[in-house]
Amino acid sequence: MGVKGAFGRWSSYSLVLLCILGIYTTPAVSVKKENFKTCDQSGFCKRNRAYADTVTSTSGFKSPYTLEPASVKFDHGVLSGTVIKSLADGATVRLPLTVALFDSGVARVTLDEEKRKKGEIDLRHGSKARKERYNEAEKWAIVGGTKLSSGAAMKAVGKVATSVVYGPESKFEAIITHSPFAVEFRRDGETQIKFNDKAFMNFEHWRPKVEKPVVEKKEGEEAPPEDTTGEDESTWWDESFGGNTDSKPRGPEAVALDISFPGYEHVFGAAEHTGPLSLKETRGGDRKYSDPYRLYNSDVFEYEMDSPMTLYGSIPFVQAHKKDSTVGVLWLNAAETWIDVTKSTASANPLSLGIGAKTTTNTHWISESGLLDVFVFLGPKPQDVIGAYSELTGYTQLPQHFAIAYHQCRWNYVTDEDVMDVDRKFDKHRIPYDVIWLDIEYTHEKEYFTWDPMTFPDPLTMQKQLDGHERKLVYIIDPHIKNTDNYPVVDELKSKDLATHNKDDNIYEGWCWPGSSHWVDAFNPKAHDWWKTLFRYDKFKGTAKNSWLWNDMNEPSVFNGPETTMPKDNLHHGQWEHRDVHNLNGLTFVNATYNALLARDKEEEKHNVRPFVLTRSFYSGSQRMGAMWTGDNQAIWSHLEASIPMLLSLNIAGFPFAGADVGGFFGNPSKELLTRWYQAGAFYPFFRGHAHIDTRRREPYLAGEPYTGIITQALRLRYSLLPAWYTAFHEASTTGAPIIRPQYYVHPSDDKGFAIDDQFYVGSTGLLAKPVTVEGAESQELYLADKETYYDYFDFWAYEGPGKEKVAAPLNTIPLLMQGGHIIPRRDRPRRSSGLMKWDPFTLVVVIGHSGDAEGTLYLDDGESFDFQEGAYIHRKFAFSTAAGSLQSEDLTTAGTSTSKKVKAYLASMAQVHVEKVIIVGAPSAWQSKAKVQVSETASGSSSSATKDVPFEFVAKDGGKAAYAVVKNPGVAIGAGWKIQF
Ligand code: NOJ
């Protein structure tokens, strides 16, 4: 069946279903906001905002939480004790507290509830749910950095407060005030973070439901007055929204805390949202939102711009930044969470007329259930905070090399012929790409792990053609499994009892693409074991070694569920309510797929390759498994513009392998928009073009000139800079450093740049990009933070910082500057795919800075296996010095000289890969008359070096364009030690 037939079946079946549900029909203009709760419609959010209002408006309000001084103990880096909550009727609630101090300098404050912990509560409606507060988020999110500190010590225990010192050189201190319970974190004696300073802390303790007598209203009588003496219980026991009722068997159980950052004007993070990188105020203030930032992973397609509304993923981690100081917190709670952000400005001295005034940012965190569990990072540098956070939640996986090249996707390439045709057309037009993607239509009637026999009769031939040019296939597998007959996957899911259950503890049924479906419960380790079996080459026939995975709809998206997701009273493995684990759901599913792919290749093929998985839903820790993208955006300029702060926000949150659909998912972009989007996309860490099924085809070769040519240039730019990108990924995978970096990260002292989120640096390369995101632009203004020369990437025009510089940006230009002081590695030979560049020579671009020096690094490995963990990699540092007149390549490998066969074989295979060109930008005029330079190379394992002369060309300064020089074919190996003497 051809294109028409395949689409015909899709439209007749799924479209009818979706139209009935009002989902995914003809693109509407914007999100259906009414499908998602506001804080006012979310009982616990409303209650806690109201609590905060009561606290603020009650003079002399005293927080009812007290740490019992006699309960305080300190042992091996952990302080423990009991916090007592005093109730209005004189009763008390016991809340066990721990403050753990780690070697890494991170502190963790955890508060539980004794009664629930001991299971001494009654569940309503005969629920089979767990009674405890959910305490397994760490099992999924935390993978390291929790070695308890041996140096931490109790400094003082007084009646009023207890204090502990910890961290590097005991620079950090946590001061715990007993009554009311509050914690203050100091670095070098200065307060950085405060808990419960505003007394918003609220731990909704367990209580039985007291049935109030129903007073019948008799005819002719007035309605009885409402009982206004107690608390507002209207959302304690059950809650309805959009026709769904949540049975809430454990009653109210929210946890909330105010966390203040005194003196800090900016907070970043709390991804994923569409607003600016620097979070806005959500109550009061000038640029306020009216709702808190919400974290409740949801299928919010056609989402709105500049909004605190929830999106597909959650990273409950924020950093506060002020001049020369960054601190942060991770709120480890997987339930629905809201965060209010407010700012207050206090003058340092009442007579100073605002001089020295300091802004404090206050955040108010509110989660529906679970523990109060907060990790505290005291910096002082952005990298210290992100590094410690990444050590805890895991570093981003070093992806296979193809994964950082360009991906071509659409919903859908409809037949195997279609895929092969697109592949040939890319070649015909000499446009590079690495991966082609298959959306849900490749399946037989939305049954995952099957091919539609009519449209994909021969998937292996298709994958073979792709493999011929080192290209890959990514196909989609979602977590909903079609509920139908004669489908072994669903039969196994049911018979093995591996699906999520409903509140009555029976298999849960809902609707998604296939119609009636069940959901794999990836919280269950047995589900992971089973999932592994499905990806085996002999089980999912037609998949080849160059096929990888896309996990979508894993929030999970349930078309007929509350807020398009699962009911909160559904039950997962271990009888945890969905309410407790919702934001982790997507992570567990990608984790299962990642493990399945590892097993597929390692166990079956003895091939130790790094899996590639793309996920839509995520949580802290998902970065360990692969890439994410920002879901269903629109083909309009505002969505292109928003993609940059969105991706920056993920990059500083430990999840840098992030991208947005290039071209916009819904709607048809103008050719100008499509072109600009490719230019921006060439700077997304994850670079994929994607489009909705209703859109017109828009593969780059269809745009026509000049657009196709300009898009091809953008793609070639990405390909030529792949060595720099891969090096940045390597850095991210070992330190957590962002791949694209906002101003505050690179220039933490420059307060003028803290709120800038439309330009960014690429890794440590000094490349500063500001893609055009506005229609009709001819120029772009870049902000240069430092006293340094920045050179135009393409023509070496020199700009002097600090200050703003206007850069010409007609359609065929991407505003891209090189900051002086860096060395950028490239590969300039145009190829069809990145795999074909494996043996290509390198170009090094030396960008001389004000100091006269420049430095850069290059990381390289086989780009697919885990052999780098054994030492099969090249890691070089290039250092240029004008004073010494030399450029040197030094070894940065930490693995030492390995005798492993694999390592030797890899290094031997790279021995023939050379540097073919060195370009020195900003070359000293003294070099003008130079015709050659001296090159010496030290072969690996030898101390003597051979010296030769190689030709040298000098190009003098031309108006605003800097002088530059070129060393042609120095002939040195990329992995060797060498020196060029100028
Ligand atoms: C929703 C995803 O966000 C989109 O990218 C995909 O094309 C559709 N699901 C169909 O699978």
Side-chain angles (χ1 to χ4, degrees):
M1 193 184 293
V3 174
K4 214 171 154 210
F7 181 69
R9 241 166 339 102
W10 182 84
S11 28
S12 56
Y13 182 69
S14 304
L15 258 184
V16 171
L17 166 70
L18 300 177
C19 289
I20 295 169
L21 296 166
I23 295 170
Y24 279 101
T25 53
T26 321
V29 264
S30 66
V31 65
K32 284 197 165 32
K33 274 186 96 163
E34 64 281 10
N35 286 354
F36 299 92
K37 289 182 184 174
T38 59
C39 176
D40 228 30
Q41 292 164 321
S42 170
F44 73 95
C45 184
K46 185 177 178 184
R47 295 198 295 273
N48 278 285
R49 264 193 163 184
Y51 185 85
D53 288 343
T54 307
V55 171
T56 314
S57 60
T58 311
S59 80
F61 179 92
K62 187 167 180 278
S63 172
Y65 299 88
T66 304
L67 173 62
E68 273 186 334
S71 69
V72 176
K73 281 198 210 78
F74 186 81
D75 191 18
H76 290 98
V78 183
L79 179 143
S80 55
T82 306
V83 171
I84 304 292
K85 176 181 182 184
S86 308
L87 307 181
D89 62 3
T92 55
V93 178
R94 294 175 66 80
L95 309 172
L97 165 81
T98 57
V99 181
L101 307 155
F102 304 129
D103 249 359
S104 59
V106 174
R108 178 185 191 179
V109 178
T110 311
L111 209 54
D112 203 338
E113 183 179 351
E114 197 171 274
K115 261 203 153 153
R116 293 190 201 253
K117 202 174 172 182
K118 292 185 173 164
E120 292 169 353
I121 68 165
D122 298 322
L123 301 178
R124 298 168 63 243
H125 314 299
S127 166
K128 302 204 176 71
R130 279 283 268 269
K131 294 182 172 175
E132 303 100 299
R133 288 180 173 270
Y134 182 61
N135 55 14
E136 293 186 359
E138 69 176 312
K139 193 169 120 187
W140 298 99
I142 306 295
V143 291
T146 51
K147 188 168 170 277
L148 289 169
S149 165
S150 47
M154 187 110 105
K155 189 174 149 196
V157 205
K159 277 214 176 98
V160 179
T162 299
S163 113
V164 282
V165 288
Y166 66 104
E169 293 142 37
S170 300
K171 278 196 304 201
F172 303 158
E173 185 177 5
I175 301 168
I176 303 153
T177 307
H178 300 162
S179 185
F181 170 72
V183 192
E184 183 181 325
F185 292 91
R186 294 186 179 172
R187 187 184 68 223
D188 290 325
E190 199 186 314
T191 305
Q192 309 293 335
I193 297 178
K194 285 177 169 182
F195 285 5
N196 204 28
D197 189 45
K198 296 178 91 65
F200 295 170
M201 180 165 135
N202 186 23
F203 216 88
E204 291 183 339
H205 59 280
W206 183 79
R207 65 210 91 186
K209 180 167 189 208
V210 179
E211 300 297 343
K212 298 206 174 117
V214 184
V215 187
E216 295 259 329
K217 176 173 130 22
K218 295 204 185 97
E219 258 206 83
E221 279 182 12
E222 291 218 336
E226 268 182 40
D227 175 14
T228 51
T229 50
E231 290 181 88
D232 173 13
E233 293 187 21
S234 57
T235 54
W236 280 9
W237 307 110
D238 50 44
E239 214 173 322
S240 297
F241 181 75
N244 290 280
T245 299
D246 173 8
S247 64
K248 299 179 65 164
R250 297 180 305 217
E253 51 180 331
V255 289
L257 177 70
D258 60 277
I259 303 179
S260 313
F261 302 97
Y264 287 86
E265 196 169 339
H266 295 276
V267 279
F268 306 115
E272 177 185 33
H273 295 100
T274 53
L277 182 67
S278 177
L279 300 183
K280 283 189 179 181
E281 286 180 82
T282 57
R283 302 194 94 182
D286 297 339
R287 305 150 67 212
K288 66 179 176 194
Y289 292 146
S290 55
D291 253 13
Y293 285 92
R294 187 182 190 204
L295 297 175
Y296 188 58
N297 299 352
S298 308
D299 187 354
V300 190
F301 54 91
E302 291 171 338
Y303 45 78
E304 62 176 10
M305 297 293 90
D306 195 7
S307 165
M309 248 184 103
T310 195
L311 286 176
Y312 309 89
S314 302
I315 302 190
F317 167 54
V318 299
Q319 293 171 57
H321 184 75
K322 64 178 183 185
K323 201 172 164 63
D324 293 323
S325 180
T326 315
V327 295
V329 292
L330 162 66
W331 176 267
L332 186 65
N333 186 305
E336 178 185 347
T337 297
W338 299 78
I339 311 160
D340 260 321
V341 177
T342 56
K343 297 187 186 190
S344 47
T345 305
S347 170
N349 158 4
L351 302 176
S352 67
L353 302 173
I355 301 159
K358 282 199 174 153
T359 298
T360 286
T361 302
N362 307 296
T363 56
H364 180 199
W365 298 71
I366 309 166
S367 289
E368 182 174 16
S369 65
L371 301 178
L372 190 152
D373 196 1
V374 196
F375 292 74
V376 176
F377 309 88
L378 292 181
K381 296 201 193 77
Q383 178 51 35
D384 297 330
V385 175
I386 300 175
Y389 168 82
S390 302
E391 189 186 5
L392 279 176
T393 60
Y395 300 106
T396 197
Q397 186 209 206
L398 179 64
Q400 285 202 51
H401 195 272
F402 79 80
I404 69 166
Y406 174 63
H407 300 252
Q408 180 62 43
C409 186
R410 81 169 273 112
W411 180 13
N412 223 88
Y413 291 114
V414 290
T415 62
D416 48 16
E417 262 309 324
D418 187 14
V419 169
M420 293 192 286
D421 184 52
V422 171
D423 179 61
R424 283 189 289 265
K425 289 198 171 119
F426 265 88
D427 284 351
K428 187 172 158 214
H429 291 85
R430 300 173 161 273
I431 304 174
Y433 90 97
D434 269 55
V435 193
I436 190 157
W437 289 52
L438 290 180
D439 209 320
I440 48 177
E441 309 305 323
Y442 78 89
T443 57
H444 175 243
E445 294 177 349
K446 312 289 181 306
E447 292 168 3
Y448 301 114
F449 304 102
T450 69
W451 299 94
D452 185 326
M454 306 296 278
T455 50
F456 287 84
D458 189 6
L460 285 177
T461 299
M462 170 181 79
Q463 285 157 95
K464 202 164 160 215
Q465 177 178 314
L466 298 174
D467 192 42
H469 297 136
E470 298 260 356
R471 289 189 178 132
K472 323 286 169 190
L473 178 79
V474 167
Y475 60 90
I476 196 167
I477 300 269
D478 291 350
H480 47 259
I481 303 294
K482 187 171 180 174
N483 175 21
T484 187
D485 295 335
N486 302 321
Y487 179 32
V489 177
V490 81
D491 292 344
E492 284 181 25
L493 178 77
K494 287 202 269 193
S495 66
K496 292 175 188 286
D497 192 18
L498 298 175
T500 303
H501 286 193
N502 61 21
K503 68 176 180 355
D504 304 320
D505 216 10
N506 299 316
I507 189 165
Y508 170 69
E509 188 261 346
W511 279 20
C512 205
W513 298 128
S516 172
S517 305
H518 300 303
W519 273 260
V520 181
D521 181 13
F523 286 90
N524 187 344
K526 289 205 177 104
H528 285 232
D529 295 341
W530 170 66
W531 200 240
K532 272 183 196 169
T533 65
L534 301 176
F535 289 85
R536 293 177 58 104
Y537 295 113
D538 60 358
K539 186 97 180 255
F540 187 5
K541 294 214 166 68
T543 53
K545 277 201 210 156
N546 59 336
S547 65
W548 300 99
L549 261 294
W550 175 13
N551 283 164
D552 185 18
M553 314 298 272
N554 50 340
E555 296 74 25
S557 175
V558 180
F559 294 162
N560 60 340
E563 300 194 83
T564 329
T565 190
M566 252 177 204
K568 285 179 168 169
D569 45 15
N570 267 8
L571 295 172
H572 289 272
H573 172 71
Q575 301 304 108
W576 294 113
E577 273 200 296
H578 185 71
R579 165 188 346 276
D580 297 323
V581 300
H582 174 85
N583 284 341
L584 272 169
N585 191 82
L587 177 149
T588 62
F589 183 61
V590 198
N591 199 350
T593 304
Y594 181 88
N595 291 340
L597 291 174
L598 260 188
R600 177 187 79 169
D601 291 295
K602 204 169 173 181
E603 286 163 22
E604 202 181 339
E605 297 290 314
K606 307 277 172 264
H607 189 33
N608 196 15
V609 281
R610 298 170 232 164
F612 172 77
V613 194
L614 176 75
T615 180
R616 190 171 73 174
S617 181
F618 56 89
Y619 189 75
S620 294
S622 297
Q623 70 272 8
R624 305 190 300 266
M625 272 74 80
M628 63 70 67
W629 94 109
T630 61
D632 297 349
N633 59 3
Q634 301 186 51
I636 50 179
W637 289 92
S638 56
H639 277 249
L640 166 59
E641 189 181 356
S643 68
I644 293 173
M646 286 178 86
L647 299 185
L648 283 174
S649 171
L650 286 150
N651 266 265
I652 57 148
F655 203 162
F657 197 6
D661 282 349
V662 169
F665 180 66
F666 287 111
N668 295 302
S670 68
K671 290 183 179 183
E672 181 190 349
L673 175 58
L674 184 69
T675 306
R676 289 301 198 188
W677 215 317
Y678 269 95
Q679 293 178 335
F683 289 89
Y684 293 168
F686 173 63
F687 182 18
R688 184 186 74 153
H690 184 39
H692 185 271
I693 195 161
D694 286 344
T695 60
R696 288 194 286 276
R697 290 271 171 138
R698 53 164 105 131
E699 288 65 39
Y701 48 80
L702 292 174
E705 293 308 333
Y707 307 100
T708 295
I710 300 173
I711 294 171
T712 308
Q713 287 314 319
L715 285 160
R716 293 228 174 110
L717 176 67
R718 171 63 168 229
Y719 274 72
S720 94
L721 284 170
L722 281 175
W725 283 98
Y726 198 57
T727 304
F729 270 89
H730 173 257
E731 195 183 333
S733 75
T734 50
T735 68
I739 290 168
I740 53 172
R741 302 179 178 173
Q743 287 295 129
Y744 91 89
Y745 182 89
V746 182
H747 302 285
S749 313
D750 176 44
D751 40 12
K752 288 197 207 84
F754 295 163
I756 294 179
D757 57 10
D758 54 1
Q759 64 177 48
F760 52 84
Y761 291 84
V762 177
S764 301
T765 60
L767 281 167
L768 174 64
K770 184 170 181 181
V772 172
T773 57
V774 235
E775 190 169 12
E778 286 294 329
S779 66
Q780 188 74 306
E781 197 174 69
L782 278 93
Y783 173 71
L784 311 181
D786 48 345
K787 194 167 163 31
E788 184 54 273
T789 313
Y790 284 71
Y791 301 89
D792 185 280
Y793 180 83
F794 303 97
D795 68 6
F796 306 153
W797 192 279
Y799 299 93
E800 285 303 321
K804 290 183 180 157
E805 290 288 352
K806 199 166 169 180
V807 174
L811 188 61
N812 62 4
T813 305
I814 307 175
L816 179 62
L817 303 182
M818 302 183 286
Q819 183 192 29
H822 297 272
I823 300 180
I824 305 162
R826 309 198 302 221
R827 276 173 152 166
D828 287 344
R829 305 207 176 167
R831 300 278 180 196
R832 281 180 276 202
S833 74
S834 75
L836 298 173
M837 296 167 75
K838 223 175 195 158
W839 315 114
D840 278 355
F842 285 83
T843 292
L844 298 178
V845 184
V846 177
V847 191
I848 303 183
H850 276 191
S851 67
D853 297 338
E855 237 181 60
T857 56
L858 171 72
Y859 173 85
L860 266 181
D861 58 24
D862 67 12
E864 58 174 28
S865 77
F866 284 101
D867 292 354
F868 70 90
Q869 290 173 345
E870 291 168 43
Y873 67 91
I874 288 171
H875 199 190
R876 309 297 307 181
K877 174 175 153 188
F878 307 113
F880 174 86
S881 154
T882 305
S886 67
L887 169 66
Q888 292 198 56
S889 169
E890 297 157 24
D891 197 3
L892 282 183
T893 52
T894 48
T897 322
S898 171
T899 49
S900 125
K901 259 196 197 158
K902 277 184 198 159
V903 176
K904 281 190 168 164
Y906 172 70
L907 296 177
S909 75
M910 292 304 291
Q912 294 313 310
V913 178
H914 285 118
V915 176
E916 67 174 344
K917 201 193 271 183
V918 177
I919 304 170
I920 301 106
V921 182
S925 51
W927 290 2
Q928 191 126 21
S929 51
K930 208 179 272 294
K932 29 183 211 230
V933 291
Q934 232 178 31
V935 177
S936 50
E937 181 175 347
T938 319
S940 83
S942 147
S943 55
S944 61
S945 52
T947 304
K948 62 184 176 191
D949 285 345
V950 299
F952 175 86
E953 187 193 341
F954 182 88
V955 179
K957 186 171 179 302
D958 171 13
K961 293 183 192 164
Y964 68 97
V966 182
V967 180
K968 286 183 202 148
N969 205 8
V972 288
I974 194 67
W978 47 259
K979 185 173 180 180
I980 301 178
Q981 194 68 50
F982 294 90

